[in-house]
Amino acid sequence: MTLGELAAAWFYLFFSAAILSYLWKLNIVYRIAEAFSVGGAMAHSLITLYGGTIESFCFNPIKAGQLQRIIPVALGLMIFFRLTRRYAWVARYPTVVLTGVGTGVLFGATFDAQILSQIGMTASMFTTMDLLSAIFTFISVVTVLTYFIYTHEHKGPLGISARLGRVFAMFSFGMNFAGEIIWYMTLVVGILINWVEKAINPLLGL
Amino acid sequence: MSKTIYEKMRTIPDGYLALLSFLFMLIPILYPLGLPVTISNTTKGYYDALMNLPAGSIIMWEGGGGMGYWDEFEASLTATFKVLFSLPVKFLYWGTGSDAPVMADIILKKIDVKGFNKEYGRDYLILGYIPGGETTMAAIAGDTHGVATQDYYGNDLSQYPLWAECRNYQDYAIVISVSTSCVNMDSQARQWHAIYGKKILEINMACCSPMAVVYFPDIMPGGLWGAKGGTELEVLSGFPGPGARISDASNLGIMPFLVFLVLTNIGYIGSRYISKEKEIAK
C-alpha cells in the first residue's frame, strides 16, 4: 500500500467517523464532513454529466454530423430561461415536451404491466405455487383490496376483511422496514470493513 | 419518583444499542464466521434464469444505484459478473445512474476477466450513464444504436463486433436491472415485458423486495436484494466474494436490535399494565 492510499484510507476513516458522530449529537465535525460529502457528490455528478453525457451524447455526435441532436440540446438550454423573470415562459416548452413524452412512454404499458398481468398472475398462482401459499396469497390480495374500498363503510364482513387486509399490509410494510434496517446495517458494516482493512491493518502491518 | 423496571426497559438509551451493535458487527469482520446461508427462491430463480440462457445470448444489463450503496450491491454485482463471464453469453451494460458505469469499472478491475477468456467489445460492452430514465429505456429497447455512439471509455462503438449485434429488443434474451428505486420493477415491466415480452432479473436494495416480488416468477424469474442476495448467489454459483462477511456482520449486528425490541415491548406492555392497576386502585 502506497502512502497516498494510506492517507486516502485515513481520510475515509476520519470522514466516516465524523458522519457517525451524529449518533452522539449534532456537532461541528459532522457539519464539516456533511459539507465535504455534499460538495464532493455534486462535483462528481457535474463532471460525470459533462464528460460522460453532455459531451458524448450531445457535442460529439453534433460535431460528427448528427444535427438532429441540436433539438434536445436547445430544449435543455431553454430550461435555464426559468431563471429570468421576463422570459420564464420559454422554459414551459421543454417542460411540456418532457411531460408529454414521459406520460406517453409510461401510460401505454401501465395498464398491461401493472394491472392486467398482476391479475393474471394472481389468478394463475394456484397452478404455479403450492396450495397453502396460493390460498394465503389469494386471501391477502382480496382482503388488502377491500381495505382500499372507501365508498362503503367498513362494517360487517367488509369490516372484518378490511381489518385482515390491514394486518397483511402491515406485514408488507414491516418487511420493507426490516429490509431498510438491514440496508443501514450493511452500510455500517462496509464502513467498518474499510476501517479495519484499509486504515488500521496496514498500520499494524497486517 | 424512581422509575419502575418496565420504564427503565422502555427508555434504554439509543447510544448503548448502537455501541453494542457496532461490537457485534466487528466480530465477523475480525474473525470470519462462515454462518450458514439459506438460498431463497428468488435467488435460485435468478441463477437458473442465467444458467438456462442459450449459448450466444445477449443480456441487456441496466446498471443503476450509486457509490453510496456500494456495500449493498458489491456482492450481487461481483457474483453476477463472474457468473456471466463463466457462461457462453454476452452482455451490454449501460448506466441508468451516473455512478453505475463507475461501479462496473471498479468490479471489472478486480475480476480476472482474461481468466474467463472474455474480451471487451466481443463478449461485453460498458456504455456510460445515459440520462432519461424510463424514456431512455424505451428508446434503447426500440433502437439501441440511436441512443449511444461511444462507450464509457469514450471509444467509438462501431469498432466493436458486439455492438453490431445489439440493435433492439429482439437481440436481447433477458434484462438485468440494477436499481435503488423500489418501483423499478414497475418501469421494467412496462417497458420490457408489457411491450416486448422480455423477462427481467432485478438487483436492488434489501428493503425493495416486497415491492418487486409481486412480479415473481412470471415477469421476474428471480432477483437479488441487498448483500444477502449477493451472498446467496456467491454460494449458489461457487464464486466466493465479499458478500459472506458483510452478511455475517449484518446478521450479528441486528441481534442487539432484536433483544432491545423485545425488552422495550415488554417495558411498554408492563408500564401499561401497572398504570391500569393504579387506575383501578384509585
Side-chain angles (χ1 to χ4, degrees):
Chain A
M1 192 179 230
T2 63
L3 196 65
E5 285 171 337
L6 189 65
W10 276 87
F11 263 113
Y12 175 85
L13 191 149
F14 170 74
F15 281 116
S16 48
I19 290 288
L20 288 172
S21 71
Y22 184 75
L23 285 171
W24 167 55
K25 69 174 189 179
L26 188 61
N27 60 76
I28 184 72
V29 184
Y30 168 80
R31 289 272 198 196
I32 292 168
E34 187 188 32
F36 263 92
S37 174
V38 173
M42 185 53 73
H44 166 71
S45 183
L46 280 175
I47 291 166
T48 313
L49 274 175
Y50 182 76
T53 310
I54 298 175
E55 210 170 24
S56 63
F57 291 105
C58 301
F59 296 155
N60 289 347
I62 290 170
K63 276 184 213 165
Q66 291 187 28
L67 296 179
Q68 73 273 23
R69 296 211 180 197
I70 290 173
I71 299 167
V73 171
L75 282 168
L77 290 173
M78 281 160 75
I79 284 276
F80 289 101
F81 279 94
R82 188 75 186 82
L83 298 172
T84 68
R85 203 174 278 251
R86 195 170 173 188
Y87 298 106
W89 57 271
V90 177
R92 287 182 192 159
Y93 288 96
T95 309
V96 164
V97 171
L98 273 175
T99 312
V101 171
T103 310
V105 165
L106 249 88
F107 192 71
T110 298
F111 190 70
D112 193 356
Q114 287 173 261
I115 299 172
L116 286 182
S117 64
Q118 297 284 345
I119 294 168
M121 279 192 284
T122 310
S124 67
M125 67 195 167
F126 284 96
T127 56
T128 56
M129 286 181 180
D130 61 276
L131 188 65
L132 199 66
S133 300
I135 292 169
F136 188 79
T137 311
F138 183 77
I139 293 170
S140 64
V141 168
V142 172
T143 54
V144 171
L145 282 175
T146 56
Y147 177 76
F148 290 100
I149 293 173
Y150 299 130
T151 50
H152 201 281
E153 200 176 350
H154 287 184
K155 275 183 175 177
L158 181 67
I160 295 165
S161 178
R163 280 177 78 93
L164 193 60
R166 194 169 64 180
V167 172
F168 280 119
M170 289 296 174
F171 276 135
S172 174
F173 301 145
M175 196 177 159
N176 205 307
F177 185 62
E180 196 139 333
I181 298 286
I182 290 290
W183 164 37
Y184 299 148
M185 285 279 173
T186 309
L187 292 182
V188 178
V189 168
I191 290 170
L192 289 176
I193 288 175
N194 279 320
W195 282 5
V196 171
E197 279 189 353
K198 291 180 181 164
I200 297 167
N201 279 355
L203 275 189
L204 300 174
L206 296 170
Chain B
M1 206 174 91
S2 64
K3 282 183 176 177
T4 64
I5 182 74
Y6 294 120
E7 280 164 349
K8 281 179 184 168
M9 284 164 86
R10 273 177 62 193
T11 53
I12 300 167
D14 300 354
Y16 291 129
L17 177 58
L19 188 67
L20 206 59
S21 183
F22 259 56
L23 293 174
F24 270 67
M25 278 188 260
L26 268 174
I27 297 169
I29 293 171
L30 298 173
Y31 307 102
L33 299 174
L35 296 174
V37 178
T38 313
I39 310 292
S40 60
N41 283 345
T42 46
T43 304
K44 195 171 179 315
Y46 183 96
Y47 181 67
D48 289 345
L50 292 179
M51 295 307 281
N52 293 331
L53 286 172
S57 298
I58 301 173
I59 296 154
M60 164 55 65
W61 190 343
E62 297 173 352
M67 287 304 292
Y69 305 90
W70 175 255
D71 302 297
E72 190 78 334
F73 288 127
E74 187 189 6
S76 301
L77 294 178
T78 308
T80 301
F81 269 115
K82 287 179 179 172
V83 168
L84 293 183
F85 283 141
S86 70
L87 297 171
V89 296
K90 306 167 187 181
F91 63 85
L92 175 69
Y93 181 105
W94 67 281
T96 57
S98 60
D99 285 357
V102 183
M103 292 164 83
D105 193 48
I106 291 171
I107 291 170
L108 285 169
K109 280 175 183 158
K110 288 183 183 175
I111 297 173
D112 177 22
V113 182
K114 284 185 180 163
F116 287 102
N117 197 25
K118 296 288 176 179
E119 191 185 305
Y120 184 74
R122 184 193 69 189
D123 301 300
Y124 68 102
L125 273 175
I126 309 289
L127 306 190
Y129 162 54
I130 312 178
E134 195 167 337
T135 314
T136 307
M137 212 184 285
I140 282 185
D143 175 18
T144 310
H145 285 203
V147 178
T149 53
Q150 291 179 331
D151 67 359
Y152 171 59
Y153 309 101
N155 302 318
D156 190 0
L157 282 165
S158 60
Q159 64 183 299
Y160 300 117
L162 177 58
W163 185 242
E165 297 174 51
C166 301
R167 290 172 299 265
N168 56 40
Y169 70 95
Q170 288 175 321
D171 300 316
Y172 309 121
I174 201 163
V175 178
I176 297 177
S177 173
V178 186
S179 178
T180 50
S181 161
C182 287
V183 292
N184 171 56
M185 265 311 294
D186 295 340
S187 48
Q188 297 297 330
R190 280 194 292 265
Q191 299 309 326
W192 286 105
H193 184 78
I195 302 174
Y196 303 118
K198 299 289 172 191
K199 305 261 182 185
I200 302 116
L201 300 171
E202 191 188 49
I203 298 175
N204 210 322
M205 297 186 298
C207 56
C208 292
S209 61
M211 304 282 276
V213 286
V214 292
Y215 293 101
F216 177 75
D218 287 14
I219 295 175
M220 181 189 67
L224 308 176
W225 290 286
K228 184 182 173 290
T231 312
E232 290 174 19
L233 187 64
E234 283 174 3
V235 173
L236 206 55
S237 64
F239 291 117
R245 193 163 51 158
I246 294 174
S247 292
D248 285 358
S250 299
N251 287 341
L252 250 68
I254 204 85
M255 292 297 174
F257 281 90
L258 294 176
V259 173
F260 276 61
L261 197 72
V262 173
L263 288 179
T264 46
N265 273 289
I266 292 171
Y268 173 72
I269 294 164
S271 302
R272 276 186 65 172
Y273 177 73
I274 286 175
S275 63
K276 268 190 183 174
E277 273 199 334
K278 278 181 184 169
E279 275 178 26
I280 293 165
K282 276 181 188 175

